[in-house]
Amino acid sequence: MSSLLSKTKLSPKDKKYSQLVEKTLATFDSLEEWADYIAFLSRLQKSLQLNIDTAKESYSSQVSNRLALCLSSDLPNGVHQKALSVYEYIFDRLPESTLNKDINIWLPGLLPLFSYSSILVKPLQIKMFRHLILSQL
């Protein structure tokens, strides 16, 4: 992804943002415990808050991949809830046209969770699908 971003001229703010997101995404491979996943998701959301416009264009597939891995059935509800809050943050800020165009990137990580999520997580999923995805399609 760095090569894609280096081809276009980035402002200093966008360059700093890109480096922060890349650094955050790179830390995923070192996660060991569920608490590490929650800390990673918090850092990811914080880095995305700096400039969601660059994220939606440059990092959608990488971010969606990491979020999908955070929804693994091997991880506890707390990690699932935090991952859903990051999804919600992203979907809430993506323009309708971008969400419609890129829904195929985001759904594969979200849909399997329905089969194994807890009773605490299902309402969050349903709310997100109803209000942030289906209402925009």
Side-chain angles (χ1 to χ4, degrees):
M1 189 57 60
S2 298
S3 61
L4 174 71
L5 291 175
S6 64
K7 291 179 184 177
T8 60
K9 190 80 169 163
L10 294 177
S11 71
K13 180 182 175 184
D14 288 342
K15 187 175 181 177
K16 181 180 177 183
Y17 167 78
S18 295
Q19 290 170 341
L20 180 62
V21 172
E22 286 177 8
K23 181 180 174 185
T24 302
L25 290 171
T27 64
F28 183 83
D29 295 330
S30 65
L31 304 179
E32 294 179 13
E33 297 182 15
W34 66 266
D36 298 334
Y37 283 86
I38 292 176
F40 164 78
L41 290 165
S42 295
R43 285 191 311 274
L44 179 61
Q45 185 169 0
K46 194 173 196 176
S47 66
L48 292 174
Q49 288 172 343
L50 295 176
N51 189 347
I52 193 71
D53 293 328
T54 303
K56 71 184 177 200
E57 295 175 15
S58 306
Y59 295 102
S60 294
S61 62
Q62 290 176 313
V63 170
S64 66
N65 182 36
R66 296 302 192 265
L67 287 174
L69 293 172
C70 290
L71 294 176
S72 165
S73 61
D74 297 332
L75 294 170
N77 293 335
V79 177
H80 296 162
Q81 289 171 331
K82 185 61 181 174
L84 288 175
S85 75
V86 176
Y87 272 112
E88 187 173 353
Y89 174 81
I90 292 168
F91 291 159
D92 193 41
R93 282 151 185 83
L94 283 177
E96 186 176 322
S97 61
T98 303
L99 182 60
N100 285 328
K101 183 177 74 106
D102 293 342
I103 196 67
N104 63 317
I105 295 171
W106 301 101
L107 281 183
L110 284 169
L111 292 176
L113 183 62
F114 275 110
S115 66
Y116 54 82
S117 64
S118 75
I119 194 91
L120 297 172
V121 175
K122 283 195 192 304
L124 299 173
Q125 286 180 274
I126 292 168
K127 177 186 165 205
M128 185 173 49
F129 271 89
R130 183 175 291 147
H131 298 290
L132 296 174
I133 297 174
L134 295 176
S135 67
Q136 304 240 357
L137 297 177

